[in-house]
Amino acid sequence: KNQVEQSPQSLIILEGKNCTLQCNYTVSPFSNLRWYKQDTGRGPVSLTIMTFSENTKSNGRYTATLDADTKQSSLHITASQLSDSASYICVCYYNNNDMRFGAGTRLTVKP
Amino acid sequence: DVKVTQSLRYLVKRTGEKVFLECVQDMDHENMFWYRQDPGLGLRLIYFSYDVKMKEKGDIPEGYSVSREKKERFSLILESASTNQTSMYLCASRGWGEYYNEQFFGPGTRLTVL
């Protein structure tokens, strides 16, 4: 069954700390994986895309990893800021155009 | 920048009423999508369209219909709203040439059915 599971469901950290969000998937055949950030009251916005051949990709303070063997991806946020408070959604694409969304991780950064 | 507009941010309806949600995109994208988003369940695909007058069912189409008469506009219709359709509704668009399937989302409409 094609599924995407994210953990933790929610996370609270202090400003300036680092954190890592996890995404495990079972979709097949895997095409690529995208992380979205969704601020409260807004639609999701793409942070980064991970293709099958990529292991690590950075976008500012965000670093995504992909292990295609274990079917796991992570999103690491360094030196968190209050503006990082949002939901982070992992989306896996398979069969070229099919996609499956994770339920998201709700991150709260406190001062 | 791609812009996907959902003009209604909040909407309150009563059970049995007809609901019409409209989505407009300005990037000439071929594909448009309607999702609902519920806590703990993530985004679930209701319907999508890959061309004018074309529509395909997503994972949860029951109780919904869609209309795409113009390329830039994709409408979601609830013929008779029910309380279990209370949710956040998100529209998205995607062009065939977009880098690795990137979808662009609207701000969402929070629908409450009383």
Side-chain angles (χ1 to χ4, degrees):
Chain A
K1 191 174 180 180
N2 295 302
Q3 288 186 318
V4 177
E5 294 187 354
Q6 291 187 244
S7 62
Q9 273 191 326
S10 61
L11 182 63
I12 301 174
I13 62 173
L14 292 176
E15 187 178 13
K17 298 295 185 183
N18 304 334
C19 67
T20 300
L21 314 180
Q22 297 289 344
C23 174
N24 297 339
Y25 61 91
T26 60
V27 304
S28 181
F30 176 81
S31 296
N32 54 79
L33 181 150
R34 192 178 289 273
W35 284 93
Y36 282 90
K37 179 187 179 188
Q38 184 178 19
D39 292 316
T40 301
R42 294 186 176 275
V45 175
S46 178
L47 282 175
T48 188
I49 176 78
M50 302 295 291
T51 62
F52 185 84
S53 59
E54 293 176 307
N55 297 120
T56 303
K57 185 181 286 185
S58 292
N59 177 5
R61 294 180 296 103
Y62 299 100
T63 298
T65 66
L66 176 67
D67 186 332
D69 292 330
T70 61
K71 298 188 177 183
Q72 295 179 327
S73 177
S74 66
L75 182 69
H76 184 76
I77 304 175
T78 304
S80 61
Q81 300 177 358
L82 299 179
S83 59
D84 292 330
S85 293
S87 289
Y88 292 85
I89 301 169
C90 172
V91 186
C92 290
Y93 296 87
Y94 61 105
N95 284 336
N96 289 328
N97 280 319
D98 290 336
M99 55 194 163
R100 193 66 63 188
F101 287 78
T105 294
R106 178 69 202 173
L107 174 65
T108 302
V109 180
K110 291 196 169 183
Chain B
D1 279 350
V2 174
K3 192 167 184 180
V4 180
T5 304
Q6 295 177 246
S7 55
L8 291 174
R9 299 301 303 275
Y10 301 92
L11 184 62
V12 179
K13 289 287 190 179
R14 297 199 177 275
T15 301
E17 288 187 325
K18 186 172 184 176
V19 179
F20 188 87
L21 302 181
E22 192 166 67
C23 174
V24 179
Q25 51 96 1
D26 66 359
M27 278 301 291
D28 202 35
H29 281 170
E30 295 83 3
N31 303 284
M32 296 188 74
F33 307 80
W34 274 107
Y35 297 90
R36 63 176 285 175
Q37 185 177 32
D38 301 288
L41 296 178
L43 276 76
R44 292 180 291 167
L45 182 63
I46 303 171
Y47 267 98
F48 66 99
S49 169
Y50 53 87
D51 202 352
V52 177
K53 296 192 184 296
M54 304 302 289
K55 60 183 179 182
E56 295 285 344
K57 293 180 180 179
D59 297 322
I60 51 165
E62 296 79 17
Y64 303 94
S65 62
V66 291
S67 172
R68 192 161 181 207
E69 297 297 317
K70 294 185 177 182
K71 191 175 185 180
E72 68 271 17
R73 202 174 295 265
F74 192 34
S75 303
L76 180 69
I77 302 151
L78 289 67
E79 290 290 343
S80 179
S82 62
T83 55
N84 63 10
Q85 292 178 311
T86 292
S87 186
M88 170 70 85
Y89 290 88
L90 288 164
C91 174
S93 75
R94 184 185 77 203
W96 286 119
E98 289 298 338
Y99 183 64
Y100 282 109
N101 301 316
E102 181 172 4
Q103 292 183 305
F104 297 87
F105 287 86
T109 297
R110 183 164 294 282
L111 171 67
T112 301
V113 183
L114 302 175

